[in-house]
Every structure is written in C-alpha cells, then in structure tokens.
Amino acid sequence: MTPTAVALLSFAAWTLLLLIGVSATRIGVSIRTGKAANTFDPASGDLDGFAKRITRAHANCYENLPVAAAVLLYAIAADRTAVTDGLAYVFIAARLLQSLVHLISTSNPAISIRFVFFLVQVGILIYWFAKLAGF
C-alpha cells in the first residue's frame, strides 16, 4: 500500500474513531443526565468540556476529509502517487496532531498550535493540487 493510500485510509479511520468517541460520549452524557439521545444539538452547543471538544474535532475531520480524499484519490486513480507519497505521512500526522490538540485543550496557545497543524495540511493540499494539475 502506498503512503498516499495509507494517508487516505488513516484519515477515514481517524474520522470513524472520533465518531465512535462522539457516540460513546453522548451515551455517557445521556446516562449521566437523563437527556434523551435525540435531543443533542448536532453543533455541540448543548455540550461542554471534552464532549464538546470531541464533537468539534470529529466535525472538523468530516468537513476536511472530502477535499483531502479527492486529491488523494485522484493521485491514486491517475497513478500519480509519486506526487503525494513524499508528504503523505506528514499530512496525516498533522491531521492527527490537530485533532489531538483539540481534544486536549481549547486554550489560546492550544488553538494556535492546532492552527499551525491545520495550515500544514492546507499547504500540503495546495502543493499536491498544483503538482497534480500541472502548475
């Protein structure tokens, strides 16, 4: 399996793992508070602490996965993974670190660190897109 495929599957797996975490967290909140499971705010406005952070970390993944998947799938389909393989592990590491920092804290320094990891991903995606598009 190429590093590109590993990055794509890892991003999907991480998003799924966070979804499981969101579900488990909401079940826990539901049991603890008696809140009905179908009354949760999808945007996590009714949650706080870790429950809100994991919900937002998951949302951030599913908001960004389509663009990353499109670029990585194109590279795989066009047999151009030589373009994406070199930075594939850096990309997925930045994705995981962004989420982990989000899960740990929402302090101003943590938000700044999280933003740096986000910028790394965006920069890599722009670079890949430009190389794949022939710019």
Side-chain angles (χ1 to χ4, degrees):
M1 187 179 318
T2 67
T4 298
V6 170
L8 177 61
L9 289 175
S10 295
F11 199 146
W14 182 243
T15 305
L16 181 59
L17 184 63
L18 287 172
L19 175 61
I20 292 166
V22 167
S23 300
T25 301
R26 289 192 177 199
I27 289 168
V29 168
S30 186
I31 290 169
R32 229 179 32 255
T33 66
K35 181 177 178 127
N38 63 348
T39 62
F40 282 99
D41 175 10
S44 74
D46 57 341
L47 299 171
D48 58 0
F50 184 77
K52 185 171 191 149
R53 291 193 309 274
I54 195 167
T55 301
R56 294 306 310 144
H58 171 255
N60 187 258
C61 279
Y62 71 68
E63 291 163 352
N64 290 285
L65 178 57
V67 174
V71 172
L72 294 169
L73 283 171
Y74 177 82
I76 292 167
D79 197 26
R80 305 232 3 242
T81 57
V83 171
T84 52
D85 281 348
L87 290 172
Y89 294 132
V90 174
F91 176 79
I92 197 61
R95 171 76 264 167
L96 295 173
L97 289 168
Q98 179 189 352
S99 295
L100 289 172
V101 171
H102 198 163
L103 294 175
I104 292 167
S105 175
T106 56
S107 69
N108 284 335
I111 290 169
S112 295
I113 292 167
R114 201 170 80 214
F115 186 62
V116 168
F117 291 131
F118 174 73
L119 288 178
V120 168
Q121 293 165 76
V122 171
I124 291 171
L125 284 170
I126 290 169
Y127 172 76
W128 284 342
F129 182 84
K131 295 293 272 185
L132 290 168
F135 296 119

